């Protein structure tokens, strides 16, 4: 297909006629960092950055380490304000700009340090790397050995589109930087809301904080096998709060997803934060499936393996689900146990401690149905359970709305990168 007027076809795709193609090595001095070797390294201990410290667009200062540097290393590996650091291994191409948050720092061999030699905008290069990684383009230059890595000699040959003026460089970089700032602020807000929810759960689910209208005149707390709880709360074993005993899932193979068959939920389809999020939907084809459909209010728990204790509260919006054999279903009796209250409780530290203790086995970790039935849980009055669950549900809804906004912002930025970094759209 012929490019539209004003554009040309190049090794980096279609770009404007007045853009050219260069390479990473032609525009930047590329240097790998200091080799870490505790036996061979000598000199003065200095702070350094490794692969883990370089996240997309930011430096994690908590991941800074210390390495001995010889006098000859101090000039060679010292970072300057504006250096671009690019991961050589791990997520090859992940990058961040060193804006000198501390006065003196160095970097290790797992990182490439890029310094412009002919004025290429460093922020623009950072966005180029993000686009290349997201589209898979950079994989063409990654060496796929036992550990995938981006060698210096190959990195330097990566073709790089070159807008004609520094003004256009800066304009593109500034627009994408604004988009990145919005994404970062939303990420921070989501993280803050999650921490607030964790704090609220710790207080509300233990009775350390009571909602308005539920504090009793007698007051006070007591110790129990479910932890410290208010005196007017009961403690019960989970099995005594269910409408039927815990039930093991169906042992049947997964088949290719078909909308005419039930959807299968397995341990691997449940996230650590309790959502049904399969990498790929699968179905189950078995005459017994109808006996294993989840109903509103049901919870399932992983009963074996590294994920033991992981839980999911069934949500009708996830469709009709049949639960698999390594899951245990519990069906709370709504007269004494609110399903949402239980779903919140099984994300707490006290529940995770119980799981660690109960799942100890000589071989594979595991918890059986009888042991789940013996799980001690705090039981406030049912109306207080509902009120607590409602508060936490409102917080979940707020977090979900922010996550939707964040996903949209990321999608918009991806489209902006594809248009601006190829010159498909030019800025005035």
């Amino acid at each position: 297909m012929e490019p539209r007027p004003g554009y040309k076809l190049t090794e980096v795709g279609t770009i404007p006629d007045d853009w050219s193609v260069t390479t990473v090595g032609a525009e930047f001095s590329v240097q790998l960092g200091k080799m870490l070797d505790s036996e061979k390294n000598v000199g003065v201990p200095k702070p350094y950055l490794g692969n883990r410290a370089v996240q997309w667009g930011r430096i994690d200062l908590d991941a800074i380490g210390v390495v001995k540097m010889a006098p000859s290393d101090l000039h060679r590996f010292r970072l300057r304000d504006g250096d671009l650091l690019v991961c050589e291994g791990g997520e090859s191409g992940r990058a961040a700009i060193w804006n000198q948050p501390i006065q003196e720092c160095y970097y290790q061999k797992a990182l490439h340090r890029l310094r412009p030699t002919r004025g290429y905008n460093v922020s623009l290069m950072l966005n180029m790397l993000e686009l290349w990684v997201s589209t898979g383009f950079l994989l063409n230059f990654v060496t796929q050995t036992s550990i995938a890595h981006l060698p210096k000699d190959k990195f330097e040959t990566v073709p790089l589109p070159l807008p004609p003026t520094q003004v256009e460089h800066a304009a593109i970089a500034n627009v994408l930087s604004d988009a990145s700032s919005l994404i970062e602020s939303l990420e921070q807000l989501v993280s803050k809301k999650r921490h607030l929810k964790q704090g609220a759960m710790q207080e509300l689910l233990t009775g350390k904080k009571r909602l308005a209208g539920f504090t009793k005149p007698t007051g006070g707390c007591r110790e129990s096998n479910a932890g410290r709880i208010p005196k007017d709360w009961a403690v019960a074993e989970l099995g005594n709060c269910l409408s039927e005993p815990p039930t093991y899932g169906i042992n049947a193979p997964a088949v290719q997803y078909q909308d005419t068959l039930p959807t299968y939920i397995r341990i691997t389809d449940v996230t650590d934060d309790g959502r049904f999020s399969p990498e790929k939907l699968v179905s189950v084809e078995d005459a017994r499936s109808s006996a294993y459909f989840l109903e509103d209010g049901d919870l399932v728990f992983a009963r074996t393996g590294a994920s033991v204790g992981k839980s999911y509260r069934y949500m009708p919006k996830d469709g009709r689900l049949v639960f698999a054999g390594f899951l245990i279903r519990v069906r709370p009796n709504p007269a004494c146990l609110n399903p949402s209250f239980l779903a919140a409780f099984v994300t707490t530290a006290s529940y995770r401690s119980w799981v660690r203790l109960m799942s100890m086995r000589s071989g594979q970790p595991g918890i059986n149905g009888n042991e789940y039935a013996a799980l001690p849980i705090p039981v406030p009055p049912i109306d207080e359970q509902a009120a607590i669950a409602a508060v936490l549900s409102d917080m979940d809804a707020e977090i979900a709305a922010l996550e939707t906004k964040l996903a949209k912002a990321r999608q918009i930025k991806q489209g902006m990168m594809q248009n601006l970094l190829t010159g498909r759209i030019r800025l005035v």
Side-chain angles (χ1 to χ4, degrees):
M1 186 182 221
E2 287 294 321
R4 60 181 168 139
Y7 287 78
K8 60 188 176 185
L9 190 59
T10 71
E11 60 264 51
V12 295
T14 301
I15 59 175
D17 283 337
D18 60 337
W19 284 29
S20 57
V21 178
T22 181
T23 64
V24 171
E27 299 299 327
F28 293 90
S29 166
V30 181
Q31 179 180 281
L32 283 166
K34 168 78 173 175
M35 173 71 79
L36 297 186
D37 189 325
S38 58
E39 294 183 358
K40 294 181 180 179
N41 289 343
V42 295
V44 182
K46 295 290 184 179
Y48 80 95
L49 299 178
N51 185 289
R52 191 165 59 89
V54 175
Q55 300 300 315
W56 275 116
R58 65 180 181 86
I59 301 295
D60 182 2
L61 295 179
D62 291 334
I64 289 181
V66 175
V67 63
K68 289 181 179 179
M69 306 287 285
S72 59
D73 297 327
L74 296 179
H75 175 72
R76 186 179 180 195
F77 299 115
R78 183 164 180 167
L79 291 170
R80 297 180 193 168
D81 189 31
D83 282 346
L84 180 62
L85 294 164
V86 182
C87 293
E88 189 258 358
E91 186 184 3
S92 296
R94 190 175 70 231
I97 297 171
W98 176 254
N99 289 319
Q100 212 161 353
I102 60 176
Q103 186 62 33
E104 182 182 9
C105 196
Y106 302 82
Y107 65 106
Q108 73 163 112
K109 193 176 180 180
L111 298 171
H112 296 288
R113 184 225 63 207
L114 274 62
R115 283 180 185 157
T117 55
R118 302 196 301 194
Y120 203 100
N121 187 288
V122 176
S123 293
L124 186 63
M125 184 64 204
L126 172 62
N127 282 287
M128 283 290 182
L129 285 161
E130 187 175 347
L131 179 64
W132 291 344
V133 170
S134 67
T135 59
F137 173 74
L138 199 63
L139 291 175
N140 297 319
F141 303 87
V142 170
T143 299
Q144 299 289 347
T145 56
S146 56
I147 300 176
H149 64 286
L150 178 63
K152 177 177 181 289
D153 57 347
K154 288 191 175 183
F155 189 25
E156 290 176 327
T157 67
V158 178
L160 181 64
L162 180 64
T165 68
Q166 291 291 322
V167 172
E168 189 165 10
H169 278 224
I172 296 170
N174 289 340
V175 168
L176 293 176
S177 178
D178 288 344
S180 296
S181 296
L182 173 61
I183 290 170
E184 184 179 359
S185 66
L186 287 170
E187 287 172 340
Q188 291 174 350
L189 187 54
V190 168
S191 178
K192 178 182 177 182
K193 294 295 184 182
R194 284 176 177 159
H195 279 105
L196 287 172
K197 187 198 169 190
Q198 285 297 320
M201 287 171 57
Q202 182 62 30
E203 292 190 324
L204 293 174
L205 295 171
T206 60
K208 185 177 181 181
K209 180 178 180 180
R210 307 289 292 273
L211 296 175
F214 293 103
T215 305
K216 301 299 181 182
T218 52
C221 293
R222 63 186 177 90
E223 295 296 335
S224 74
N225 57 352
R228 189 169 178 79
I229 59 172
K231 289 181 178 178
D232 58 310
W233 285 19
V235 174
E237 292 186 348
L238 176 60
N240 294 328
C241 301
L242 304 179
S243 56
E244 60 183 63
T247 305
Y248 294 101
I250 187 173
N251 285 308
V255 299
Q256 185 175 358
Y257 178 74
Q258 301 175 46
D259 56 13
T260 56
L261 293 175
T263 302
Y264 213 16
I265 176 171
R266 305 155 299 170
I267 288 178
T268 53
D269 300 324
V270 178
T271 65
D272 289 336
D273 59 352
R275 291 176 292 112
F276 175 61
S277 183
E279 185 174 323
K280 185 179 181 181
L281 286 173
V282 294
S283 293
V284 58
E285 187 173 16
D286 193 288
R288 301 167 296 164
S289 294
S290 59
Y292 295 91
F293 277 114
L294 294 176
E295 297 180 4
D296 193 13
D298 286 353
L299 281 81
V300 290
F301 295 91
R303 65 182 179 90
T304 188
S307 297
V308 64
K310 194 162 60 171
S311 65
Y312 159 72
R313 185 206 161 171
Y314 173 65
M315 305 297 289
K317 67 178 179 62
D318 291 332
R320 295 280 279 158
L321 301 180
V322 169
F323 64 106
F326 289 114
L327 294 171
I328 292 178
R329 179 188 66 197
V330 299
R331 184 165 284 169
N333 178 353
C336 62
L337 183 59
N338 183 291
S340 295
F341 179 87
L342 175 61
F345 172 74
V346 295
T347 65
T348 61
S350 60
Y351 168 73
R352 289 191 293 270
S353 295
W354 179 86
V355 167
R356 282 193 295 271
L357 180 64
M358 294 301 298
S359 62
M360 290 180 184
R361 298 286 191 270
S362 57
Q364 181 99 311
I367 302 177
N368 62 39
N370 290 334
E371 289 167 332
Y372 266 117
L375 168 67
I377 54 174
V379 184
I382 194 66
D383 56 343
E384 188 170 5
Q385 291 181 43
I388 292 170
V391 168
L392 298 177
S393 177
D394 287 345
M395 298 180 84
D396 280 335
E398 185 179 9
I399 292 170
L402 286 171
E403 288 176 331
T404 299
K405 191 174 181 180
L406 174 58
K408 183 67 174 176
R410 287 173 174 156
Q411 183 182 7
I412 289 172
K413 188 193 173 187
Q414 183 70 21
M416 291 169 66
M417 288 193 300
Q418 290 172 337
N419 285 315
L420 295 176
L421 297 176
T422 60
R424 193 180 304 163
I425 291 178
R426 306 290 292 272
L427 297 172
V428 177

